[in-house]
């Protein structure tokens, strides 16, 4: 089902521009997320995941696994905002840190990427076994949204019965298309790119020291674009022949047709990082399990409504309402 440009979202005054939405949402967050306890889960491959589990709800309360975006973490403002909204609706958030994103360098050469779904699958399966009968949902933002969509689509009907469905916001459905936009010209794109690249390069150099010989650290240190970084690091470390092979295999748009659990997709037509032309409209329209809402405004992982001094976050409220309804 497609809901196009009429979903009831109205950008806050003075925040109609997509960059204003995007930057404001990441800098201004007046309320913290719910209290949480850090857990470290050992993985079958010898590595680990750090997760923050909300406290204060009964152990039988439904659980939502939340996945952050590129170089985000469980403390990202949008993740904390959705965790808070879910907590208010009686759903406990389990905020997943992808490998290297929880404050500690993971043990193995591999880290995380847009198409890596095995860690999310492990978390869902462990939750399903931890307390049988307790409902579980998944949600993700940006890169984390791509992971959620790909996970649901590639597994189809072969998911744990406890998993009721999911939500994904500001998803880069076509990684190559989003990469071209982010590597494009203009001062604002340069700012976005620099913010991510500094962290990616820093972590890659730490990994090169931890596991020498995987790639050329001098070349990585000179990388200034996503396509360079993915060719030098992401693709070879994670078993792809090239960055194009990585983009083709990991883009979630191709998996929308395979989704068999209820899935809400929220995107903004003016998203500065995800071109509207990359939206999988036909696949969503042909899949009754998928509700795809595209707003005219909203930026990237933003959807700020209300007023700048008293902002609301429509995307997080909408996703929380949807997920809470799935587990009632």
């Amino acid at each position: 089902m497609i809901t196009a440009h009429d979903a009831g979202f109205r950008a806050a005054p003075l925040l109609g521009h997509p960059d204003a939405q995007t930057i404001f949402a990441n800098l201004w967050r007046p309320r913290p997320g719910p209290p949480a306890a850090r857990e470290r889960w050992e993985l079958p491959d010898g590595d680990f995941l750090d997760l923050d589990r909300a406290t204060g709800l009964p152990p039988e309360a439904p659980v939502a696994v939340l996945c952050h975006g590129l170089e985000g973490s469980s403390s990202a403002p949008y993740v904390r905002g959705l965790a808070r909204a879910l907590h208010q609706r009686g759903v406990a958030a389990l905020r997943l840190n992808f490998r290297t994103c929880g404050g500690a360098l993971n043990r193995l050469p591999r880290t995380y990427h847009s198409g890596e779904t095995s860690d999310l699958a492990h978390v869902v399966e462990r939750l399903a076994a931890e307390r049988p009968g307790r409902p579980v949902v998944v949600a993700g933002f940006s890169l984390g949204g791509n992971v959620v969509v790909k996970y649901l689509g590639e597994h189809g009907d072969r998911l744990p019965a406890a998993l009721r469905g999911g939500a994904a916001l500001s998803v880069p459905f076509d990684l190559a298309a989003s990469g071209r936009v982010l590597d494009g010209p203009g001062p604002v794109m340069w700012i976005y790119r620099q913010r991510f690249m500094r962290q990616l390069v820093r972590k890659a150099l730490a990994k090169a020291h931890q596991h020498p010989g995987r790639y050329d650290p001098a070349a990585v240190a000179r990388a200034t674009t996503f396509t360079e970084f993915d060719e030098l690091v992401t693709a070879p470390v994670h078993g792809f022949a090239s960055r194009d092979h990585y983009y083709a295999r990991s883009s979630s748009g191709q998996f929308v047709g395979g989704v068999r659990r209820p899935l809400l997709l929220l995107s903004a037509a003016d998203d500065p990082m995800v071109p509207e032309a990359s939206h999988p409209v036909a696949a969503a329209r042909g899949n009754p399990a998928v509700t795809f809402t595209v707003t005219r405004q909203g930026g990237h992982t933003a959807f700020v409504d209300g007023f700048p001094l008293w902002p609301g976050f429509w995307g997080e409220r909408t996703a929380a309402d949807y997920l809470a309804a799935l587990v009632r």
Side-chain angles (χ1 to χ4, degrees):
M1 181 175 70
I2 304 292
T3 304
H5 302 116
D6 58 354
F9 170 72
R10 295 292 181 270
L14 306 179
L15 297 178
H17 192 277
D19 294 321
Q21 280 273 319
T22 302
I23 295 169
F24 182 93
N26 281 275
L27 294 180
W28 179 264
R29 182 68 58 157
R31 295 179 297 273
R38 173 61 58 97
E39 299 179 7
R40 174 162 289 186
W41 292 9
E42 294 293 329
L43 296 171
D45 64 4
D47 219 332
F48 64 88
L49 292 173
D50 286 333
L51 308 98
D52 292 333
R53 191 193 295 252
T55 58
L57 290 174
E60 66 272 12
V63 178
V65 182
L66 307 187
C67 302
H68 59 79
L70 179 66
E71 285 308 292
S73 72
S74 61
S75 296
Y78 49 84
V79 175
R80 289 188 287 110
L82 180 55
R84 179 182 177 87
L86 287 165
H87 201 82
Q88 293 169 340
R89 292 158 176 79
V91 181
L94 184 67
R95 293 179 278 150
L96 166 64
N97 289 287
F98 293 129
R99 304 190 198 200
T100 73
C101 294
L105 202 63
N106 67 304
R107 300 176 188 132
L108 299 183
R110 57 147 296 187
T111 58
Y112 74 102
H113 62 78
S114 297
E116 163 48 44
T117 59
S118 64
D119 287 347
L120 176 58
H122 176 80
V123 170
V124 171
E125 289 162 8
R126 175 165 166 170
L127 287 172
E130 182 180 88
R131 185 172 287 271
R134 179 181 56 188
V136 178
V137 289
V138 292
F141 296 83
S142 194
L143 177 148
N146 192 83
V147 171
V148 164
V149 175
K150 182 173 180 284
Y151 165 65
L152 293 175
E154 68 189 0
H155 285 80
D157 291 319
R158 304 182 311 278
L159 291 163
L163 183 62
R164 302 294 179 82
L169 293 80
S170 301
V171 178
F173 297 103
D174 183 333
L175 297 174
S178 287
R180 286 191 295 270
V181 169
L182 284 164
D183 285 345
V188 176
M189 281 301 156
W190 182 86
I191 292 171
Y192 290 147
R193 190 162 58 247
Q194 286 297 108
R195 176 178 177 269
F196 291 121
M197 287 298 298
R198 279 196 299 267
Q199 296 182 87
L200 287 168
V201 169
R202 177 180 58 81
K203 287 183 180 179
L205 294 178
K207 275 289 172 187
H209 178 75
Q210 184 188 42
H211 297 281
R214 294 281 174 166
Y215 43 78
D216 181 0
V220 172
R222 294 191 298 269
T224 59
T225 66
F226 289 102
T227 50
E228 287 178 304
F229 184 86
D230 288 335
E231 186 70 33
L232 289 167
V233 179
T234 311
V237 168
H238 297 100
F240 299 100
S242 66
R243 68 184 178 222
D244 293 333
H245 183 221
Y246 159 56
Y247 296 154
R249 293 288 300 273
S250 301
S251 295
S252 65
Q254 63 194 305
F255 295 95
V256 170
V259 172
R260 294 296 178 266
R261 302 287 167 87
L263 172 64
L264 174 66
L265 301 175
L266 295 180
S267 296
D270 68 353
D271 190 321
M273 304 183 195
V274 180
E276 188 178 11
S278 69
H279 292 171
V281 174
R285 182 177 289 119
N287 189 340
V290 176
T291 299
F292 190 11
T293 296
V294 182
T295 60
R296 287 188 179 88
Q297 298 173 303
H300 188 74
T301 65
F303 301 104
V304 185
D305 61 2
F307 298 91
L309 292 179
W310 301 277
F313 296 90
W314 176 89
E316 293 156 25
R317 296 195 312 270
T318 301
D321 286 341
Y322 181 87
L323 295 170
L326 292 181
V327 298
R328 288 195 187 107

